[in-house]
Amino acid sequence: SAGTLVAPYWVPNRHGALHKGRWQTMLCLTILLLAACGQSEIQSLSFNPAPWRAGEISNYQVTTENGATAGSARFTLLPGDPQNNPGGWSIQREIDSQGAQEIVIVEVDQTDFSPISTALTRFSSQGKESEQVTYNNGAVDIELTSVMSVTTNHHIDVPSDIRVEPTLAQLVRALPLATGYATRLNSFSPATGTMDRVTVQVTRQEQITVPAGAFDTWRVELKTNTTTGSVWIDRTAPHVLVKYMDGASGGTFELMAYKPGE
């Protein structure tokens, strides 16, 4: 937590001199405390215009927290659904891992990337299950179809300013990232029906190498009450997601190939 820097005080000794050394020691300790906390001033949540173009595709190799190969992932960014989200964006994430496949398609608003709908489909050895999720100013309605083709409906009340967890790694690209930048947002997971308060903080600039090459990145921490993940965002436009470490699973995505949009 951040310390409080109080005004310096001076204490005379028995000869009337001032204990300057004591004040300097306390000041140094206070500065060290502030540095150790590593916290930046939290800024209000705001986004730049989308840095990507329609049709962008990025492919990743996925590894476990132990470094073993787990599968592959792909993000595709397309124009929003012409009927339900004209002018918006469709952020699609596909993961193939250990014999299972998950496809998430999230329709988001053009300006602040707030969610409009989510379609989630999973294929596994047990069969297919799916979710259809709609968002409406603080209300989330979920239609879940199980592998046994049983459909149930759920209603959840959430803050009106949520963003959808599968899109966060991409949405960080549109934040005004800079040294010392930090903000907070509410993240909703359609897979679990739960919400987290996420602190997003630039921790440093970092040169990293992934299968797609070497990149000069912002390393950005995504921290909740229980997990801490990281994303590495290319500092050069269009600010590609170069690497992502999931705080819950420990799995890591590393960029293998990138195709810009048009």
Side-chain angles (χ1 to χ4, degrees), residues 44-67:
S44 59
L45 180 65
S46 64
F47 291 93
N48 293 326
W52 53 78
R53 294 174 180 263
E56 178 188 288
I57 300 173
S58 48
N59 291 284
Y60 302 83
Q61 68 175 14
V62 180
T63 56
T64 68
E65 61 181 340
N66 298 321

Side-chain angles (χ1 to χ4, degrees), residues 60-260:
Y60 302 83
Q61 68 175 14
V62 180
T63 56
T64 68
E65 61 181 340
N66 298 321
T69 300
S72 62
R74 178 172 64 197
F75 281 96
T76 306
L77 293 108
L78 295 169
D81 180 84
Q83 292 185 343
N84 301 314
N85 187 24
W89 291 102
S90 177
I91 301 177
Q92 304 182 12
R93 187 189 74 180
E94 180 179 335
I95 299 176
D96 290 279
S97 178
Q98 300 175 340
Q101 181 186 49
E102 180 183 86
I103 302 170
V104 183
I105 302 173
V106 185
E107 296 285 333
V108 300
D109 181 80
Q110 180 182 27
T111 54
D112 66 359
F113 309 107
S114 55
I116 296 168
S117 66
T118 299
L120 187 153
T121 307
R122 297 188 194 90
F123 300 91
S124 67
S125 58
Q126 285 75 40
K128 172 186 173 182
E129 58 182 328
S130 62
E131 290 183 35
Q132 298 292 327
V133 186
T134 56
Y135 307 86
N136 184 20
N137 194 31
V140 176
D141 292 293
I142 303 174
E143 181 182 279
L144 172 64
T145 302
S146 72
V147 293
M148 302 299 292
S149 298
V150 176
T151 299
T152 55
N153 292 278
H154 308 274
H155 177 88
I156 303 173
D157 292 322
V158 298
S160 59
D161 62 346
I162 59 170
R163 302 303 187 278
V164 182
E165 182 274 329
T167 69
L168 289 190
Q170 292 292 337
L171 297 189
V172 171
R173 298 170 58 190
L175 292 172
L177 303 179
T179 300
Y181 174 81
T183 191
R184 289 195 179 103
L185 55 81
N186 291 311
S187 171
F188 178 76
S189 171
T192 61
T194 58
M195 193 197 75
D196 280 308
R197 184 69 168 162
V198 183
T199 298
V200 181
Q201 180 176 356
V202 174
T203 58
R204 60 179 177 268
Q205 298 179 33
E206 188 171 337
Q207 292 270 355
I208 67 169
T209 300
V210 295
F215 295 85
D216 180 18
T217 69
W218 295 114
R219 180 169 180 169
V220 185
E221 182 180 86
L222 306 177
K223 188 172 184 178
T224 72
N225 287 333
T226 58
T227 65
T228 300
S230 294
V231 293
W232 287 257
I233 304 296
D234 188 6
R235 295 181 62 219
T236 303
H239 307 299
V240 176
L241 172 65
V242 176
K243 183 177 176 180
Y244 167 52
M245 192 277 288
D246 184 86
S249 68
T252 299
F253 294 20
E254 292 186 304
L255 185 67
M256 296 181 64
Y258 172 75
K259 174 183 175 297

